[in-house]
Amino acid sequence: MDKKEIEARLKELRQEIDRVDRTILDCLKRRYSIVKEVGHLKRKLGVEVLDLNRERAVIKKILEENQGIFPENSLKAIFLEIVHTCRTAQELQKVAYLGPEATFSHMAALKFFGQAANFLPQESVLDVFEETESGRTKFGVVPVENSIEGTVSATLDAFSDYKLKVCGEVFIPVSHDLLNQTGRKEDIKKVISHPHALAQCRKWLRKNLPSVPVEEVSSTAFAARWAAVDPSVAAIASSLAARTYHLQAVATSIEDFHGNVTRFWVIGKESPGPTGKDKTSLFFSISDRPGALFEVLSSFAKRQINLSKIESRPAKNEPWHYFFFLDCDGHIKDQKVKECVEEISKICVRIEWLGSYPAGEEN
Ligand SMILES: C=C(O[C@@H]1C=C(C(=O)O)C=C[C@H]1O)C(=O)O
């Protein structure tokens, strides 16, 4: 091929790309209006408009049909965004999260719901529960545990006061940056952040800023917002917070342990149906006698139900009494989980089903 021929072929291919793009756009518009019609019909039937299981099935099918030809992670991201956006043709979901803007909870909410939702930042975990229970938002996103720091007790404790269910799970890798207005270490007179973030960067701070005082604030994003107006302060926060509040990085990835992940729960009024890869969360208390906890646990063991977490929390109304929070594989509608919960209900003084939901993906 000579230069002229190459240029002609290039032109031809670009025209072909333009035609393909137009087809993609036509398909997107068609999909959007079909989803809108589905929404009308579902409303007429009186069924829930959002159907997370159907969305999962749609994406799974696309990935299967692709047979690895189009880069898989990108295809998934594209279709997640398409589905999330089409959903807005039915109704814009209101989602409360632990704010302000750019917290890791915000990242988790974006990962679960996509860009096309109405995200409403809240000042505390309790506010997220409050907004969701009152129906002012349809869903809430709250942190539940961190792979290094452990449980977020405010979240677990809130379940005893609010009648909400877990309806989804999201994992977000946590990496912290040290941010201020200039990016210069010499300007830092105080380091502020959420207690978990400070704890996760303890060694780095001791080594690199030994004489600088630290102060706990309500969230990493709040810290970043503060640093944006106070030049003497540096915040430990995410790269999303750096972008949102126009801050410079003094140092990046300052966490003491890499591979740090936070698990979030999406809370709402109802848990979704089984998908085949679900988790169930329970909260229970038992009588103070030998073997009571063993009996509960053996009920799971004899049915080969895998436990992914068990944690005790003090029962607030009685000293030295405890509640247990337990996560196991499977859905409450799966026969063996159902039987197990029925059996342990006879042993427990109190038992609450917190929800069954599709297991989140850890990458
Ligand atoms: C179109 C539907 O409604 C919503 C949108 C979906 C989509 O865009 O594919 C899937 C499930 C629902 O959350 C449906 O229920 O099929």
Side-chain angles (χ1 to χ4, degrees), residues 128-142:
V128 177
F129 274 82
E130 192 68 47
E131 288 300 289
T132 314
E133 190 171 77
S134 70
R136 282 189 291 275
T137 61
K138 182 123 198 180
F139 296 102
V141 177
V142 285

Side-chain angles (χ1 to χ4, degrees), residues 31 35 38 42 49-51 54-55 58 83 86 90:
R31 193 184 195 286
V35 172
V38 171
K42 285 199 284 194
V49 171
L50 179 69
D51 185 342
R54 164 74 186 152
E55 292 186 3
V58 166
V83 169
C86 285
Q90 302 181 326

Side-chain angles (χ1 to χ4, degrees), residues 50 52 56 87 93-97 105 107-114 119 128-129 132 137-144 155 159 164-171 263-272 281 354-358 360:
L50 179 69
L52 293 173
R56 283 196 158 215
R87 218 196 252 164
Q93 301 293 341
K94 280 193 183 161
V95 180
Y97 68 93
S105 298
M107 283 184 173
L110 283 165
K111 184 170 174 190
F112 195 83
F113 293 97
F119 295 109
V128 177
F129 274 82
T132 314
T137 61
K138 182 123 198 180
F139 296 102
V141 177
V142 285
V144 57
T155 297
F159 277 97
L164 288 173
K165 293 280 171 262
V166 183
C167 36
E169 176 185 56
V170 195
F171 292 93
R263 178 180 177 223
F264 293 85
W265 272 345
V266 178
I267 51 171
K269 295 232 163 106
E270 280 167 49
S271 271
S281 296
L354 299 184
S356 296
Y357 46 91

Side-chain angles (χ1 to χ4, degrees), residues 23-36 50 55 58-59 62 70 74-90 110-117:
T23 310
I24 295 174
L25 178 62
D26 285 343
C27 292
L28 288 174
K29 288 185 195 162
R30 237 182 90 212
R31 193 184 195 286
Y32 191 82
S33 71
I34 296 171
V35 172
K36 194 169 185 169
L50 179 69
E55 292 186 3
V58 166
I59 298 200
I62 288 290
F70 192 90
S74 308
L75 186 68
K76 194 169 167 193
I78 290 167
F79 268 85
L80 273 173
E81 207 49 52
I82 290 176
V83 169
H84 291 156
T85 308
C86 285
R87 218 196 252 164
T88 63
Q90 302 181 326
L110 283 165
K111 184 170 174 190
F112 195 83
F113 293 97
Q115 301 285 342

Side-chain angles (χ1 to χ4, degrees), residues 178 180 182-191 204-205 207-210 212 231-232 234 249-251:
L178 186 67
N180 70 358
T182 57
R184 281 200 315 258
K185 200 168 155 183
E186 311 80 76
D187 298 335
I188 306 173
K189 304 286 176 284
K190 185 162 73 177
V191 174
W204 190 95
L205 289 172
K207 184 162 173 240
N208 294 280
L209 294 167
V212 176
S232 71
V250 179

Side-chain angles (χ1 to χ4, degrees), residues 282 284-287 289 291-305 326 332 334-353:
L282 301 168
F284 60 89
S285 62
I286 44 178
S287 55
R289 64 172 172 83
L293 182 58
F294 175 79
E295 284 169 29
V296 170
L297 297 183
S298 58
S299 205
F300 289 89
K302 72 183 180 210
R303 293 181 175 85
Q304 296 284 306
I305 301 172
L326 180 150
I332 191 89
D334 296 347
Q335 193 55 30
K336 62 180 187 177
V337 178
K338 194 167 156 246
E339 276 172 23
C340 178
V341 172
E342 277 165 12
E343 187 173 282
I344 63 173
S345 299
K346 293 176 198 142
I347 307 166
C348 296
V349 175
R350 177 178 171 194
I351 178 162
E352 304 272 346
W353 168 61

